[in-house]
Amino acid sequence: NAKDAVVCAGSGGLTDGPGLGSRTEDASCRTHETDFRTAATQLCLRTVSLALCVPLKQLEAANRCKADIALARQIAMYLAHTQFSMAMTEVGLAFGRDRTTVSHACSLVEDKRDEETFDLTITQLEALLGEAVNAIEARCQQVEGVRDVFQG
């Protein structure tokens, strides 16, 4: 799934995944969740930044900003929620915002999708992120195969 793929990419794919039971494994699981959240957020932010020609620093800024920058950030939050199945609370943590802000962003983007050109832009961004996740998953499967050969 997308979470496993992004964590794999973030960790180089050569570490064991989270397990069950020990405190160390629980901490590892939390670390993987944090890695996933960070990687997915950065992928969404950077993709939106490039696609909409909005400087990354402005998207990552904690303060309020101009409407076009706010919309770009809202699109990135929407994509993190929809493309990476992140809960709104997770998205909020990753973006330094409250979950209600994320909920507002997602509602706003959904409403604006009624506009044909806006919807086309979002559809293209979704496809681009989908391709990125597919490529990451394929790479992780290759790494798993190599690891199986050495462990087998």
Side-chain angles (χ1 to χ4, degrees), residues 22-53:
S22 75
R23 283 186 176 192
T24 304
E25 290 170 340
D26 290 345
S28 173
C29 184
R30 282 191 300 277
T31 300
H32 282 287
E33 284 297 315
T34 302
D35 290 348
F36 165 75
R37 191 170 52 230
T38 300
T41 302
Q42 284 301 310
L43 186 57
C44 290
L45 281 168
R46 290 171 190 274
T47 300
V48 169
S49 174
L50 289 170
L52 302 181
C53 301

Side-chain angles (χ1 to χ4, degrees), residues 40-106:
T41 302
Q42 284 301 310
L43 186 57
C44 290
L45 281 168
R46 290 171 190 274
T47 300
V48 169
S49 174
L50 289 170
L52 302 181
C53 301
V54 175
L56 187 60
K57 284 196 182 285
Q58 290 183 344
L59 287 179
E60 294 175 328
N63 59 339
R64 291 179 176 258
C65 52
K66 293 191 281 182
D68 60 329
I69 296 165
L71 179 59
R73 185 183 301 124
Q74 290 164 334
I75 291 169
M77 287 190 264
Y78 170 82
L79 292 168
H81 175 63
T82 60
Q83 297 301 294
F84 294 97
S85 303
M86 291 172 64
M88 289 187 187
T89 302
E90 286 182 298
V91 176
L93 286 170
F95 280 82
R97 301 294 195 275
D98 187 76
R99 70 170 174 76
T100 59
T101 301
V102 178
S103 177
H104 172 74
C106 290

